[in-house]
Amino acid sequence: MRSIDLAIAAMALLVAGSTATAQDVSADPTFATINLSAGFRPDPQRLEVVSGGNVPAENISSDCEGYIADVPDVRVNYTSGDYPLTFSVRASEDTTLVINAPDGRWYCDDDGAGDLNPLVHFTKPTSGAYDIFVGNYDDDNADATLSISETHD
């Protein structure tokens, strides 16, 4: 009986530990929440953020890199139409991009925009909330610009 109690206690610690590093996409974003509909202007929309955090992005997926915050940096509530949707980041540091899309899936990129800048492109975006985390590789947070576009190639 005692070994069962120890096993239950060990499981409780594991569960508590794993939820401490989970991204809280229900939390208010650190920098902004914006509402966009297909055909928005101006295009691109640009937001100033600070990259980084203390959570390894690989906790979400082995495809994700860098360190991100535990709450979104930006939330984009998007009403889709006939346009693609692209998120990209420009910064003087090597940044990463992690997005929780309306379908609940995680999308990650490191250098898709070139020059150490990330880009995530949705060919047929769905309507809903896009929770965006801008990360980087070390403890040095960096000023960054998040761009949201429907016309980016």
Side-chain angles (χ1 to χ4, degrees), residues 55-112:
V55 179
E58 67 184 11
N59 287 356
I60 293 170
S61 166
S62 61
D63 295 333
C64 300
E65 298 184 52
Y67 290 88
I68 58 175
D70 54 354
V71 300
D73 293 312
V74 174
R75 177 171 296 126
V76 176
N77 296 314
Y78 181 70
T79 303
S80 65
D82 295 329
Y83 301 102
L85 187 62
T86 301
F87 298 91
S88 61
V89 175
R90 292 274 179 219
S92 60
E93 302 289 325
D94 189 2
T95 55
T96 64
L97 190 55
V98 177
I99 299 175
N100 182 253
D103 63 5
R105 293 179 51 203
W106 291 92
Y107 298 82
C108 304
D109 188 64
D110 181 12
D111 297 332

Side-chain angles (χ1 to χ4, degrees), residues 3 5 8 10 13 15 20-21 24 37 41-42 52 54 58 60 67 69 79 85 88-89 92 100 110 112 119 128 139:
S3 62
D5 290 339
I8 291 171
L13 285 173
V15 170
T21 60
D24 186 357
S37 294
R41 296 287 178 256
N54 59 3
E58 67 184 11
I60 293 170
Y67 290 88
T79 303
L85 187 62
S88 61
V89 175
S92 60
N100 182 253
D110 181 12
L119 180 145
D139 293 335

Side-chain angles (χ1 to χ4, degrees), residues 99-136:
I99 299 175
N100 182 253
D103 63 5
R105 293 179 51 203
W106 291 92
Y107 298 82
C108 304
D109 188 64
D110 181 12
D111 297 332
D115 296 331
L116 305 178
N117 293 302
L119 180 145
V120 174
H121 180 77
F122 296 90
T123 304
K124 295 182 187 230
T126 57
S127 295
Y130 290 79
D131 289 302
I132 302 156
F133 300 79
V134 179
N136 50 291

